[in-house]
Amino acid sequence: MLFEIGILGLLLTILFSLPLILSPPLQQKIKKTMPEPVDVVLFALNEPEEIVEKSLLSLKNLKGKKRIFLIKGGKESEALKNFCKKNKITYIFDESRGKASAFNNFIRKQKTKNYIAVFDCDEHVVDENFLPDAFALFDEKTAYAQTVKIFPAKNMIEKSMRITNETFLAKVQEAEGKKDRAFFAGSVALLSKNAIVDSGFFSEDAAVEDIDFSFKAFKKGYRGMFIPKIYALGRTPSFSAFVKQHLRYIYGNGQLLRKFGFNRILLTLPALSVFNSLLLISLNPLAYAAIFFEMLFAALVGKAVFNEFFASFLSAFINFVLLSIPRSVYFVLGLLNADVIFRTTHGS
């Protein structure tokens, strides 16, 4: 019975989700314009100071009028404070436990501009046109303009992690961007302060406060825009950090489904995880053969989309075999809104 349910569920989920990945490219004409003055914010916790400094310096290369802020959590850093003073960057120490509360405090306590650009501590700018390009997509009903979030990948494991992330952060986002319903992904984005305030700020009890904000903004009639370009590169995570991050994501999916109801984006990955888990625990040789062909199919799609066959196959193994049962557990915990502590940073 587990085998039959797993196979049927997988087939339906694959048919349901493929259009998101194989969607034609988003055609977007960006008019060249210089934005209003913008507040550029970088969040950091206890990451190495040299990484934060490199990211801060790269922000100074962005075109357009801007003020740069470092919001530092965790422990005070005299080195970073002095670095900011030397480079005319505003240093703010915030003892909040999460990025959502730190962001909310920044908006409530500082005389912020109408537009706020957000970067994580390890992201350094590689395209200085980010602000004018993002600002060109704004009107009074635009909540944010999100861009591609990505990191360098050299070996097979890093490429497989990147493909996992890029499937959502580039391909799915591009498909949703055609409907002006792309999601805010936490950084490398320009946001409207009015949309944040009108949507009730960021939910401080949400595991994925960025996506949570997106749904709140949609309910208020705002749009989520997407630019399919790379403007900044993040640091390549370790495999353990990658796993922890994705368990937080899937827990957050459960929370969001509980809070906002049915959504095919939120359901796809949990469904794949649950149905693959059923196949794994069925102990049926045919089930394991089905998973192998599922991975092979994913690799062929990865070859077509990312031009990577073997890395896509490894990515499928990680997602369909290694993480399917843990993800299923965390998804159920999220649905139940069970207390789970995630060691996340201001810069995560």
Side-chain angles (χ1 to χ4, degrees):
M1 188 65 177
L2 292 178
F3 171 71
E4 288 80 1
I5 294 173
I7 288 293
L8 179 60
L10 274 181
L11 289 173
L12 291 174
T13 305
I14 290 169
L15 290 172
F16 199 50
S17 60
L18 266 183
L20 295 170
I21 302 171
L22 300 178
S23 174
L26 172 63
Q27 301 296 327
Q28 201 171 62
K29 292 182 179 179
I30 297 177
K31 58 186 178 181
K32 292 297 178 182
T33 180
M34 291 306 291
E36 294 181 20
V38 171
D39 284 341
V40 181
V41 180
L42 186 140
F43 292 93
L45 194 62
N46 293 319
E47 295 80 12
E49 291 166 349
E50 61 272 16
I51 291 175
V52 178
E53 291 173 1
K54 178 183 177 182
S55 298
L56 286 169
L57 286 178
S58 76
L59 297 180
K60 296 176 73 71
N61 296 326
L62 290 170
K63 290 182 179 178
K65 294 182 180 180
K66 59 192 175 295
R67 300 185 303 180
I68 301 175
F69 295 81
L70 170 63
I71 299 183
K72 177 71 173 70
K75 298 178 181 178
E76 280 268 30
S77 171
E78 289 300 320
L80 283 176
K81 188 183 294 185
N82 293 332
F83 174 86
C84 288
K85 185 176 181 181
K86 178 182 176 182
N87 289 280
K88 297 181 180 180
I89 296 168
T90 303
Y91 175 96
I92 299 173
F93 179 67
D94 189 290
E95 295 181 290
S96 302
R97 293 188 60 186
K99 187 174 177 180
S101 55
F103 205 165
N104 287 341
N105 289 340
F106 172 72
I107 295 171
R108 289 180 174 126
K109 295 178 181 180
Q110 305 294 322
K111 293 182 178 180
T112 56
K113 302 294 185 184
N114 291 329
Y115 299 94
I116 304 170
V118 186
F119 290 84
D120 283 343
C121 60
D122 63 334
E123 291 168 337
H124 64 277
V125 173
V126 295
D127 188 334
E128 62 187 14
N129 292 305
F130 167 69
L131 291 178
D133 285 359
F135 192 82
L137 300 180
F138 271 79
D139 60 23
E140 68 279 359
K141 295 307 291 182
T142 302
Y144 49 83
Q146 179 65 55
T147 68
V148 177
K149 290 186 59 167
I150 207 166
F151 55 79
K154 297 178 181 178
N155 59 49
M156 193 67 70
I157 292 178
E158 290 175 354
K159 288 179 181 179
S160 68
M161 294 190 298
R162 174 168 161 161
I163 286 169
T164 298
N165 284 3
E166 201 173 348
T167 298
F168 174 75
L169 295 173
K171 298 304 175 183
V172 172
Q173 286 280 66
E174 196 168 358
E176 293 301 289
K178 293 174 185 174
K179 300 176 285 186
D180 296 343
R181 288 182 67 88
F183 295 104
F184 172 46
S187 64
V188 201
L190 181 65
L191 298 97
S192 161
K193 175 184 175 181
N194 289 336
I196 295 171
V197 174
D198 191 31
S199 301
F201 292 87
F202 291 96
S203 300
E204 298 180 12
D205 59 346
V208 283
E209 73 285 336
D210 42 15
I211 308 275
D212 180 278
F213 164 66
S214 301
F215 279 106
K216 293 198 296 184
F218 295 156
K219 287 182 71 174
K220 286 286 186 176
Y222 288 97
R223 294 189 292 271
M225 311 301 288
F226 183 70
I227 306 176
K229 287 181 64 178
I230 298 169
Y231 292 91
L233 286 174
R235 184 172 55 160
T236 307
S238 65
F239 184 71
S240 61
F242 168 84
V243 170
K244 290 175 184 176
Q245 187 179 54
H246 277 263
L247 291 179
R248 177 168 67 89
Y249 290 164
I250 201 78
Y251 176 91
N253 274 23
Q255 280 188 324
L256 293 172
L257 282 166
R258 176 190 178 99
K259 185 174 182 178
F260 297 105
F262 175 84
N263 180 276
R264 73 167 177 171
I265 308 295
L266 297 178
L267 271 176
T268 298
L269 187 57
L272 284 172
S273 300
V274 169
F275 293 130
N276 275 301
S277 296
L278 292 177
L279 292 178
L280 287 170
I281 63 177
S282 71
L283 302 179
N284 187 327
L286 289 177
Y288 300 145
I291 293 174
F292 174 80
F293 282 108
E294 179 192 11
M295 293 190 297
L296 185 61
F297 177 72
L300 292 171
V301 173
K303 175 64 176 176
V305 176
F306 304 109
N307 198 29
E308 290 281 357
F309 178 83
F310 293 107
S312 296
F313 189 86
L314 179 57
S315 174
F317 175 76
I318 291 169
N319 288 289
F320 302 156
V321 179
L322 246 117
L323 293 183
S324 61
I325 293 177
R327 270 187 172 145
S328 299
V329 171
Y330 273 81
F331 174 65
V332 172
L333 290 173
L335 274 177
L336 298 174
N337 206 28
D339 288 333
V340 178
I341 297 175
F342 294 98
R343 295 184 180 275
T344 60
T345 71
H346 278 16
S348 66

